[in-house]
Amino acid sequence: MDQQTPTATFAALPAVRNYTADELKAAVLAKLTYSVGKNSVAASPRDWFLAVAFATRDIVVERWIASTNAVYGDGRKRVYYLSLEFLIGRLLYDAIANLGIVEPMTAALSQLGLDLAHLRKLESDAALGNGGLGRLAACFMDSMATLSIAASGYGIRYDNGLFRQIIRNGWQQEIPEDWLTHGNPWEFERPEVNYAIGFGGWVEAVADGEESVRHVWHPDETVEAIGYDTPIVGWRGRHVNTLRLWSARAVDPLKLDAFNAGDYIGALSDTVRAEAISKVLYPSDATPAGQELRLRQEYFFASASLLDLVRRHVKQFGDIRTLPDHAAVQLNDTHPSIAVAELMRILVDLNRIDWEEAWEITKKVFSYTNHTLLPEALESWPVPLMERLLPRHMQIIYLINATHLDGARKSGLGDPILLSAVSLIDEQGGRRVRMGSLAFVGSHKINGVSALHTELMRQTVFRDLDLVCPGRIVNKTNGITFRRWLIECNPRLTKIVTAVAGERALEDPNALRELTRHADDAALQEQVALARRANKVDLARVIAETLNLRVDPDALFDVHVKRIHEYKRQLLNILETIARYNTIRANPTIDFAPRVKIFAGKAAASYTQAKLIIKLAIDVARVVNSDPTVRGLLKVVFLPNYNVSLAETIMPAVDLSEQISTAGMEASGTGNMKMALNGALTVGTLDGANVELKELVGDDNIFIFGLTAAEVEAARAIGIDSSGRIAASPILRGAVDEVAAGVFSPDDRSRYRSLVDTLTHHDYFMVCADFEAYWATQLRIDQAWRDKKRWRRSSILNTGNVGWFSSDRTIAEYASEIWNAPFRPLA
């Protein structure tokens, strides 16, 4: 990789000074008094948490202001990361660890009779994301700060964010996530940072000289976007960036005339409509009103973010035409793609830039990350909705499309079928705007997030656009921040790593390779095994507290935690669980390895099939866990409300990582990286980043099974009716028949009939096609687990070989090859 050498471009900030325990103790007491308004006698645990957070925040703010001043001083290029999700999790320990003050802060709190480990659990998880997409954005923000990239994240400050998942009678129920109930000590409201965001209305063509016309949009509704800033501190506090989240407010929060007339509800109607924009992440789009709200959210945050960054650029550099020299905007998935049309509006309508020049500026500024090949995730909006809600943007999209198609014809690509495929307007079955295509044509680079995913992008969803706009597709395999997913969540393993590889391993993920030289060391194997068992005891305690279920920490912890979706194939795992249960009962002499099957994840509120899969997992758990004939050889667990904090407890305790998506459908995955980093062995298909993971850890240290992406497509071409496959597999047939017969749902024998019908006759996700290979692989895993030396060796090799998956590496590649932004390597 051709990395820049930014040390010649900007100076490093001074290192964070060494704070003593006494200094931090005094700071915490001062914050308890003057910021929380309590004394030590009356303070509750939450008061103490706030005092520690405020004391830590003061140190962060000093670095934040210094970083901001440095960026303005040297004029380095800025990166703007637009994402509908930022799953940042709890920030207290993250900030303390990144500042390097864990030891003195722990000592300071000990003097006050407080425990940092306990206080950190009092913080709410920021409900700003759903899964991998949002967690990736959080890791990237950490890495951009760590590499001293001048970056800002832009998103929405959801009042409730993604729902809190509770389980009632085995069914997922969604309730609002109250993460802001007690306030957020990390954010700073910026009422002076506000922008008027328009919706609806009409467009007026105004003569602008003798031959030109300018367009003026007259919205009939305006919503205010108010900025809230959260500082994101990099490793060792070397740089601090800003996450700016937008909250929606009504311009006129109260219609006083209506209120005085007694119409109290009507007086607040504008406020309710405006604030709905920043109320909930991913409102259901199953209704026209839900679709409109989703589009309003996406335009709201994209417009506010662009207006903000353009204001900043013009203030510092004067000429908006130089925007590509000083700003790079990354669209994290398709959600912010309306930003392409919005920047054209800002350039052409508000700044009088000629269309052709504005289009060149736009393409140079934007780059787009695609995260999925699923058609529904590429988003498309009905043209009538766009014309009504964003009339000027629809005009701009029409003109972009006309220019785009003209360019294709001039390049000799005039075939009507091809032009229809690459058009930004889908004319089939109702006219819709293809937002993924808009992001593609409006960006200079489009990246996939794993080698396989990027190649499949070229072959499938963007095959035709790649012909029209060749050379734009590149790969940037995802990564994770080892600071969060090893150092912070697994201190036991971190201590072992630093003892073997030295303190350098905290700075340089490649230093983990030193572990591989000692993988056969019996003493090291024992240390790693003891650390993992202690982590498993911690997870077992959480399971007992949450579900009143005891599990054996010496059993194999087989973990499948991720968003619930048919392509992620939790159903395949459940069917294997049923088959295992049946086999244990039928063959009591077989020496199965004791297992704890652990599931966690949320289903989208309107995703009925995914919710049914959760219910089946819980029904199976109820039957298995209450059957004494299993003799402790199998337990099944579904942990509710999967979030970052729960993941931080799960990841260090995993023995077997389930990454079994239908090949060709998972873009990358990052859970696979987190678990492998913590020493888990992976069972998976050749999908997403599993391909790179296999190359890194070696065939002997991963369990690969199932159809490849090409074989999946070939199988689908033949047909997706799996009746024959089920009939040919007695083990699979037994499991499917039991589900269909209501063995696990005696209160409603027909509950899973539709699930079984889909599995039998419309097995698009190849569950039955891969079952026999999965079953055989799981039996092989039983044998491998019994060989403790081999398993422990493989565990160490997994940790030691996955340094390449650091998000620092990923971000350095973005900076060098897409953004052309200076950065300072960590190691």
Side-chain angles (χ1 to χ4, degrees), residues 372-677:
T372 180
L373 304 177
L374 295 177
E376 65 266 25
L378 288 174
E379 285 193 327
S380 64
W381 298 113
V383 167
L385 173 62
M386 290 283 290
E387 289 178 329
R388 175 171 57 83
L389 200 64
L390 300 171
R392 177 56 181 149
H393 298 78
M394 197 62 241
Q395 290 180 345
I396 290 170
I397 290 170
Y398 279 135
L399 187 49
I400 292 173
N401 194 41
T403 305
H404 161 59
L405 296 179
D406 285 346
R409 293 187 189 96
K410 290 177 183 177
S411 299
L413 302 171
D415 178 71
I417 296 176
L418 175 65
L419 293 177
S420 175
V422 300
S423 173
L424 304 187
I425 312 298
D426 183 359
E427 306 286 353
Q428 306 298 318
R431 305 181 71 229
R432 301 179 71 89
V433 181
R434 294 166 166 154
M435 302 306 286
S437 299
L438 176 63
F440 191 106
V441 301
S443 299
H444 67 281
K445 292 294 181 185
I446 296 88
N447 73 279
V449 291
S450 72
L452 176 63
H453 170 238
T454 300
E455 185 56 35
L456 289 173
M457 279 172 53
R458 292 192 181 100
Q459 296 174 7
T460 59
V461 292
F462 292 136
R463 180 190 60 191
D464 297 321
L465 281 169
D466 190 37
L467 289 174
V468 177
C469 307
R472 295 192 190 185
I473 297 177
V474 296
N475 180 57
K476 294 288 168 279
T477 297
N478 282 343
I480 58 173
T481 171
F482 289 14
R483 292 167 287 280
R484 169 81 74 158
W485 295 108
L486 178 63
I487 298 170
E488 294 176 31
C489 78
N490 198 346
R492 295 181 178 104
L493 182 57
T494 300
K495 185 176 180 181
I496 296 170
V497 167
T498 53
V500 174
E503 292 292 319
R504 177 169 166 265
L506 302 180
E507 306 273 338
D508 181 7
N510 292 321
L512 291 173
R513 291 195 184 118
E514 180 65 21
L515 288 174
T516 64
R517 295 178 58 245
H518 305 275
D520 290 306
D521 186 315
L524 177 62
Q525 290 183 7
E526 184 66 21
Q527 291 174 35
V528 170
L530 289 173
R532 172 166 288 101
R533 190 184 190 283
N535 294 331
K536 292 169 72 175
V537 168
D538 290 343
L539 178 56
R541 186 179 302 112
V542 170
I543 292 170
E545 293 171 352
T546 306
L547 303 174
N548 194 28
L549 175 68
R550 290 184 176 277
V551 298
D552 181 4
D554 291 316
L556 188 156
F557 277 22
D558 178 347
V559 177
H560 199 164
V561 292
K562 52 184 72 240
R563 180 166 52 93
I564 309 297
H565 196 289
E566 288 170 278
Y567 88 82
K568 294 179 183 288
R569 297 203 296 190
Q570 286 90 355
L571 184 55
L572 175 59
N573 193 347
I574 295 169
L575 289 173
E576 192 276 338
T577 303
I578 295 170
R580 178 172 291 264
Y581 170 62
N582 289 338
T583 306
I584 289 171
R585 290 188 303 158
N587 302 277
T589 60
I590 294 180
D591 184 22
F592 278 98
R595 286 210 197 196
V596 179
K597 291 261 194 174
I598 300 171
F599 296 88
K602 297 178 181 179
S606 58
Y607 195 169
T608 303
Q609 197 82 326
K611 287 181 158 182
L612 197 59
I613 290 170
I614 291 176
K615 175 61 174 171
L616 177 59
I618 293 170
D619 278 348
V620 170
R622 175 180 45 79
V623 172
V624 171
N625 296 340
S626 62
D627 188 341
T629 67
V630 177
R631 308 180 316 283
L633 292 176
L634 181 64
K635 290 287 180 71
V636 184
V637 172
F638 187 92
L639 283 168
N641 203 43
Y642 185 55
N643 58 19
V644 177
S645 295
L646 181 55
E648 289 173 344
T649 301
I650 292 174
M651 297 301 171
V654 179
D655 293 309
L656 183 68
S657 166
E658 296 273 353
Q659 308 297 330
I660 60 174
S661 53
T662 309
M665 302 199 72
E666 182 73 86
S668 169
T670 55
N672 47 3
M673 304 171 192
K674 294 163 193 167
M675 295 187 214
L677 174 65

Side-chain angles (χ1 to χ4, degrees), residues 18 200 277 374 517 581 669 736 797:
N18 293 323
I277 291 174
L374 295 177
R517 295 178 58 245
Y581 170 62
V736 171
L797 289 173

Side-chain angles (χ1 to χ4, degrees), residues 163-194:
F163 60 85
R164 177 184 291 272
Q165 180 194 56
I166 62 172
I167 303 298
R168 287 188 180 142
N169 299 320
W171 292 98
Q172 171 181 294
Q173 300 289 317
E174 304 88 30
I175 62 173
E177 178 59 80
D178 56 354
W179 75 284
L180 285 172
T181 297
H182 300 290
N184 178 4
W186 302 106
E187 69 181 8
F188 294 82
E189 183 178 5
R190 306 296 194 197
E192 74 282 5
V193 179
N194 64 86

Side-chain angles (χ1 to χ4, degrees), residues 19 24 96 98 124 142 158 243 250 279 295 297 303 309 322 361 382 400 540 581 607 638 640 692 721 781 805:
Y19 287 87
L24 294 176
I96 290 174
N98 277 3
S124 298
D142 181 288
Y158 303 102
L243 174 60
K279 189 66 67 176
L295 180 56
Q297 284 184 325
S303 176
L309 70 89
T322 65
I361 290 172
I400 292 173
Y581 170 62
Y607 195 169
F638 187 92
E692 286 99 327
D721 188 299
I781 290 168
F805 281 130

